[in-house]
Amino acid sequence: MTDIDNAAIDATGLTKQFGGHRVLGPVDLSVRPGEFLTLVGPSGCGKSTLLRLIAGLETASEGSIRIAGRIVTDAPPRARDVAMVFQNYALYPHLTVAQNIAVPLRMRRLSLPQRLPVVGPLLPRSAATLSQINDDVEQTAKSLGIGHLLSRKPAQLSGGQRQRVALGRAIVRKPRVFLLDEPLSNLDAQLRVQMRSELVQLHRRLRVTLIYVTHDQAEAMTMSSRIAVMFAGEILQIGTPEAVYDDPDHLKVASFISNPGLNTLPFIAIANTQLGCQLGAMASASPDCTIAFRPEACATVSSGEQSDLSGRLIFCERFGAEAFAHIAVDYAEHPIIARVEPGNAARMSCDQLVHLSLDVSKLFLFGSDGSRLRHQRRAAA
Amino acid sequence: MTMTSTFDRPVRQYNFGTMSLLVFPATALLLAFLVLPTAVVVVLSFTDYELGMDGLRYIGLSNYSDMLADRVFWQSVRNTALYVALVVPGSIFTALAVALLIERRRALTRFYKVAFFLPVTATLVAMATVWEFILHPSIGLANHLLKVLGVDPVRFLSDPDWAIVSLAVIGIWQSIGFNMVLFLAGLSSIPKEIDEAAALDGAAGGIDRFLIVTWPLLGPTTLFVTITTAINAMRVFESVAVITQGGPNKATEVILYSIYLEAFQYFRTGYASALTVVFLLVTVSLIILQMRVADRKVHY
Ligand SMILES: Nc1ncnc2c1ncn2[C@@H]1O[C@H](COP(=O)(O)OP(=O)(O)OP(=O)(O)O)[C@@H](O)[C@H]1O
Ligand SMILES: [Mg+2]
């Protein structure tokens, strides 16, 4: 496969309404040829709708879609050369694995009379095409490790095996664009991690343009070259996983891409501290702004040292390699979560007073509308 | 271990007396209304009982041997078979076609459903008048249509070659509505995503979609519809009794009509019972066939 086969996807001003209610857009999205782009966002934010618009399963209310430079806004799915893997696989239950994978090839390589049952295989040139299809199916199945399952029906397969069949059916015809809608959400945690890396390798091997939908931030962070974070039908930020993580444009983006959560405080909570003075210049423009930081941006310090925040420990979550202390701080709506050494965590006790110091370079300031206040970074740098 | 103990408990707590008491009503009803009448019919089929006569005599299988030797019996078997062979495919394919067309037309679906379901609820005895008018040899609508098409008129109900076909058309008209509703239910149970997967896989239009998704996934529905339509068609009686009375020249004499004649016109109850037993055997074996095939095929 050459780079020419990869297709860029450009959506401009795309919107979708259901019964007068707008659920998507306006969305502007450019996916580069051969890119692995992940759409993340909470449930109901329109990820599937956007994917289905690109696939041609829904028609856009406004805006246009181009694939490989060609406008396909109103083209049927067949004319777009996209393949899609559905969340629950949507395999044909009455066909064997081999027949399932063969469907896209039969549809493309056989004429309508040749596709008919009974008479189809008897028509001239059917036999040669059919054996070619069989070879391709076998090769695809082997590459996905399901070569031994070809004669089974979907009902006789495990979730992970069905997943692979669905992938096989999508890649067998070498589409230019590959869409995956939460393909791993029905698998158990261990298989999910394994499939993650297999999908990345598959993408590297096929070098297709791939859009991957998930609401799992770990999948988004680990697999993709860029991620687009969606909220309420709009893309709030699009960039590399690092850029979105380190430099979020919006409070919602920052809080969605945080594990186990994003700490937020109204600015007044630290207004009188030294940190508050340091940030004061930027905050003065917008007095009701919010400061936000991730659990790893704060560290516990002994009472003697200078601390930015302090509060009582509510409880400590220990995960073996890391631990999170939940601390009730004045003005904070939710307890502040701080990452601590498991060794230190063992020595902490409930209700104990804990002092925290914040890493100012990992602190974000957001205005009352949730948008990022930027001068802060320049001032701190 | 825990499973067994929970299953064991009821057996230990209820003794045999309580159990029989609980099962009694259902068993009694089953015996009184199903098993007993059937048993009586089977017993009578081995006798020469005639309705109103005092005694009856055991005559072994001679009712059955009479039946096999009777030309009218074979005629009625042939007529019934022909009727079933016409009604089953006619009704199923029309009902399926109608269901497929209706499914797409959201706005008028309800109107079409009612319109096609009407014949199911209308009593045939009343509607027979309409059909007699439509099929009337000189003033009937059907012959007017044929004339427009340049075809010679047909004596639909009095021509021995056409009478059973005409009744079959009425049978199809009667059963489309019910079958259509069954097909609509079957269609609505096909996951939308499989259709969408077919569209992405390159299914070009209606024919592809029908061949890869609709027809195979409707399999269980189609099987059920086929068997119920066949059983219902075998039991054709009303239209024969009201419209043709088995004529002309026994061309529309069907099994149920023979049973009716033997039992209620000629009062040969023993012989009618033998006919009934044969009829029951065929029906029951069809039902068993359906259950066996369904067991194997419904789970893909
Ligand atoms: N066919 C439809 N008719 C009406 N509303 C719809 C339809 N499909 C989706 N929606 C609405 O559009 C919104 C976005 O749905 P969508 O399925 O795109 O969300 P999602 O981001 O994929 O969520 P999830 O992560 O739960 O899959 C939802 O509020 C949903 O209710
Ligand atoms: Mg979704």
Side-chain angles (χ1 to χ4, degrees):
Chain A
M1 206 170 248
T2 63
D3 284 350
I4 303 160
D5 287 313
N6 300 328
I9 304 169
D10 289 290
T12 3
L14 204 59
T15 70
K16 177 68 189 173
Q17 305 192 342
F18 285 113
H21 179 67
R22 182 187 281 191
V23 299
L24 185 80
V27 163
D28 293 294
L29 176 69
S30 298
V31 189
R32 298 169 194 144
E35 184 175 24
F36 193 129
L37 180 104
T38 302
L39 291 176
V40 275
S43 190
C45 69
K47 308 180 293 287
S48 300
T49 307
L50 178 53
L51 208 64
R52 293 166 57 82
L53 282 170
I54 295 171
L57 295 174
E58 307 275 1
T59 45
S61 304
E62 294 167 279
S64 68
I65 305 171
R66 275 184 303 159
I67 295 178
R70 203 164 58 85
I71 293 180
V72 293
T73 316
D74 298 310
R78 178 184 166 84
R80 301 189 182 200
D81 198 13
V82 296
M84 181 161 168
V85 173
F86 293 83
Q87 181 169 352
N88 43 14
Y89 317 137
L91 299 175
Y92 307 109
H94 56 287
L95 299 182
T96 63
V97 169
Q99 289 166 333
N100 262 286
I101 299 177
V103 167
L105 296 183
R106 292 176 56 89
M107 289 296 152
R108 283 181 164 71
R109 295 187 192 165
L110 296 175
S111 64
L112 183 58
Q114 285 178 315
R115 296 204 287 269
L116 292 177
V118 190
V119 281
L122 305 175
L123 293 176
R125 286 192 293 125
S126 283
T129 317
L130 283 175
S131 86
Q132 178 65 43
I133 287 176
N134 273 348
D135 292 347
D136 288 358
V137 166
E138 220 159 280
Q139 194 196 334
T140 301
K142 271 205 195 103
S143 76
L144 290 166
I146 47 171
H148 57 296
L149 302 173
L150 283 175
S151 56
R152 297 232 197 134
K153 296 273 175 81
Q156 302 165 309
L157 301 177
S158 72
Q161 289 167 336
R162 275 179 225 176
Q163 169 70 66
R164 282 163 209 263
V165 179
L167 282 173
R169 187 177 63 176
I171 63 174
V172 71
R173 64 182 163 90
K174 305 193 165 58
R176 290 184 300 181
V177 173
F178 197 12
L179 309 172
L180 296 112
D181 192 352
E182 306 198 25
L184 307 186
S185 59
N186 287 346
L187 305 181
D188 68 46
Q190 209 172 357
L191 197 54
R192 203 143 52 182
V193 173
Q194 183 194 338
M195 284 305 290
R196 254 192 235 165
S197 74
E198 281 186 31
L199 274 178
V200 171
Q201 285 165 29
L202 190 70
H203 172 252
R204 215 170 280 155
R205 185 154 56 84
L206 302 174
R207 295 203 288 156
V208 288
T209 309
L210 193 154
I211 303 186
Y212 184 93
V213 165
T214 179
H215 54 231
D216 181 321
Q217 50 155 310
E219 282 173 23
M221 296 296 291
T222 53
M223 297 168 77
S224 31
S225 47
R226 284 196 304 159
I227 62 184
V229 188
M230 290 184 69
F231 276 91
E234 285 179 54
I235 295 180
L236 285 188
Q237 186 169 5
I238 179 163
T240 62
E242 295 73 31
V244 172
Y245 189 86
D246 295 332
D247 195 12
D249 283 341
H250 199 281
L251 179 58
K252 286 179 182 166
V253 174
S255 87
F256 191 79
I257 310 287
S258 292
N259 192 14
L262 183 75
N263 297 312
T264 55
L265 277 174
F267 185 74
I268 36 166
I270 55 155
N272 297 325
T273 65
Q274 203 184 352
L275 181 69
C277 298
Q278 219 174 324
L279 298 173
M282 301 108 248
S284 59
S286 164
D288 51 355
C289 63
T290 305
I291 68 167
F293 53 94
R294 295 205 172 83
E296 68 266 24
C298 55
T300 52
V301 288
S302 65
S303 50
E305 288 173 72
Q306 164 216 16
S307 74
D308 299 310
L309 284 174
S310 53
R312 302 221 165 260
L313 182 72
I314 301 176
F315 82 104
C316 215
E317 272 179 313
R318 277 185 278 166
F319 292 96
E322 53 183 3
F324 294 98
H326 294 237
I327 300 150
V329 171
D330 284 348
Y331 298 106
E333 205 177 322
H334 303 289
I336 297 295
I337 304 170
R339 189 159 83 186
V340 292
E341 287 297 314
N344 290 346
R347 269 180 264 122
M348 292 204 222
S349 56
C350 271
D351 259 357
Q352 171 194 346
L353 192 63
V354 181
H355 301 277
L356 296 173
S357 88
L358 306 185
D359 180 348
V360 77
S361 68
K362 291 181 180 167
L363 243 154
F364 313 121
L365 225 59
F366 295 102
S368 51
D369 61 349
S371 62
R372 178 85 177 272
L373 300 178
R374 292 267 179 199
H375 339 277
Q376 168 224 349
R377 174 147 298 222
R378 251 177 266 140
Chain B
M1 286 309 270
T2 43
M3 286 279 282
T4 359
S5 62
T6 34
F7 280 122
D8 279 346
R9 202 170 306 135
V11 180
R12 260 189 255 120
Q13 282 185 355
Y14 302 107
N15 58 25
F16 185 73
T18 328
M19 280 208 314
S20 1
L21 195 69
L22 289 172
V23 183
F24 176 74
T27 317
L29 286 173
L30 203 68
L31 281 175
F33 291 111
L34 285 172
V35 179
L36 210 61
T38 313
V40 169
V41 167
V42 173
V43 170
L44 285 180
S45 74
F46 297 112
T47 69
D48 66 349
Y49 182 65
E50 292 187 14
L51 198 67
M53 297 251 302
D54 286 340
L56 80 174
R57 206 160 44 91
Y58 174 76
I59 54 167
L61 288 174
S62 65
N63 275 333
Y64 291 92
S65 54
D66 285 356
M67 188 195 309
L68 295 182
D70 184 3
R71 285 245 309 283
V72 177
F73 169 72
W74 288 112
Q75 172 90 39
S76 71
V77 168
R78 267 198 307 276
N79 288 339
T80 312
L82 181 60
Y83 181 86
V84 172
L86 290 171
V87 169
V88 170
S91 171
I92 287 175
F93 288 113
T94 323
L96 179 58
V98 171
L100 286 171
L101 289 175
I102 286 184
E103 197 208 6
R104 299 293 184 82
R105 316 251 175 302
R106 287 283 134 69
L108 288 174
T109 303
R110 204 173 279 188
F111 167 75
Y112 283 122
K113 269 191 195 170
V114 173
F116 279 97
F117 204 69
L118 220 53
V120 180
T121 48
T123 57
L124 187 75
V125 179
M127 300 307 277
T129 331
V130 179
W131 276 106
E132 281 193 320
F133 169 70
I134 293 175
L135 300 176
H136 191 280
S138 50
I139 61 163
L141 191 67
N143 270 335
H144 273 296
L145 279 176
L146 287 185
K147 205 190 281 173
V148 171
L149 297 173
V151 182
D152 285 340
V154 176
R155 287 167 25 247
F156 288 103
L157 294 172
S158 45
D159 183 333
D161 291 336
W162 277 100
I164 196 84
V165 178
S166 305
L167 291 185
V169 169
I170 297 176
I172 292 171
W173 167 82
Q174 249 188 314
S175 56
I176 283 177
F178 192 63
N179 291 344
M180 173 203 73
V181 169
L182 290 175
F183 275 124
L184 280 176
L187 285 174
S188 71
S189 72
I190 296 179
K192 202 176 100 232
E193 281 185 347
I194 297 192
D195 255 341
E196 294 178 343
L200 284 164
D201 283 346
I207 297 178
D208 275 327
R209 180 177 167 250
F210 183 79
L211 285 179
I212 337 176
V213 180
T214 317
W215 180 247
L217 295 193
L218 271 183
T221 310
T222 312
L223 176 70
F224 178 76
V225 170
T226 308
I227 301 287
T228 47
T229 311
I231 290 175
N232 276 327
M234 279 170 53
R235 298 190 335 197
V236 58
F237 174 75
E238 270 182 321
S239 53
V240 177
V242 176
I243 301 175
T244 63
Q245 290 87 41
N249 194 18
K250 300 213 181 295
T252 58
E253 174 134 353
V254 291
I255 295 183
L256 232 58
Y257 195 72
S258 298
I259 296 176
Y260 159 77
L261 286 181
E262 294 294 342
F264 298 101
Q265 300 293 316
Y266 315 144
F267 301 114
R268 301 203 310 177
T269 313
Y271 185 67
S273 299
L275 285 174
T276 308
V277 169
V278 170
F279 181 73
L280 269 180
L281 283 178
V282 176
T283 321
V284 168
S285 44
L286 262 183
I287 293 173
I288 292 175
L289 178 79
Q290 185 218 343
M291 292 196 301
R292 299 209 106 176
V293 180
D295 272 351
R296 216 167 334 124
K297 285 203 76 176
V298 170
H299 315 286
Y300 299 104

